[in-house]
Amino acid sequence: MQGNEKPVMVLLVEDNQMNKILVREILTLNGYGIIEADSGTAALKILSTRKPDIILMDLHLPEMDGVTATRIIKSDSSNRSIPVLALTASAMKGEEDKILSHGFDGYVAKPIEVKKLLAAIEAKLAKKAENA
Ligand code: MN
């Protein structure tokens, strides 16, 4: 990342305190900017005024779950191009198709591994740049 560029902004939608701390630390240490939301509802509110480069979406959230929030995000043309990665403990074989069918662009399995999280984010941002 070039020093004079704006940091890549990641919207983290997660209600678990431990995961929030972990992801915040990983992203911050690797030069990413981070915006945090505790629920799907909060994420949608943020998206009405800010456009992150990528979204990390927990599936189980209070008020509005991650699947519903992602469906709403992807139904809005102003948000559709933002990649959404599911944060899921259920990323077993065969689950990926189900996750993708909900409109997610991919997933990161919990427990979160630093290298896998960073690789997933970088791959989606590269693909987004390609499509732009
Ligand atoms: Mn949760």
Side-chain angles (χ1 to χ4, degrees), residues 72-131:
I72 294 171
I73 290 167
K74 292 295 185 178
S75 70
D76 182 337
S77 59
S78 69
N79 293 325
R80 197 170 296 148
S81 66
I82 305 171
V84 183
L85 293 177
L87 298 177
T88 173
S90 58
M92 292 175 291
K93 210 168 169 61
E95 285 289 300
E96 190 180 12
D97 285 349
K98 201 170 140 196
I99 289 166
L100 298 181
S101 76
H102 290 307
F104 290 95
D105 296 280
Y107 70 86
V108 177
K110 289 180 183 175
I112 290 163
E113 293 175 40
V114 178
K115 281 185 182 170
K116 284 187 180 169
L117 174 66
L118 292 172
I121 292 172
E122 280 159 23
K124 287 302 159 196
L125 291 175
K127 193 167 172 235
K128 188 184 176 193
E130 222 170 74
N131 294 340

Side-chain angles (χ1 to χ4, degrees), residues 13-16 19 38 58-62 87 110:
V13 191
E14 171 65 85
D15 62 325
N16 179 278
N19 282 325
D38 290 320
D58 180 29
L59 296 186
H60 302 285
L61 293 161
L87 298 177
K110 289 180 183 175

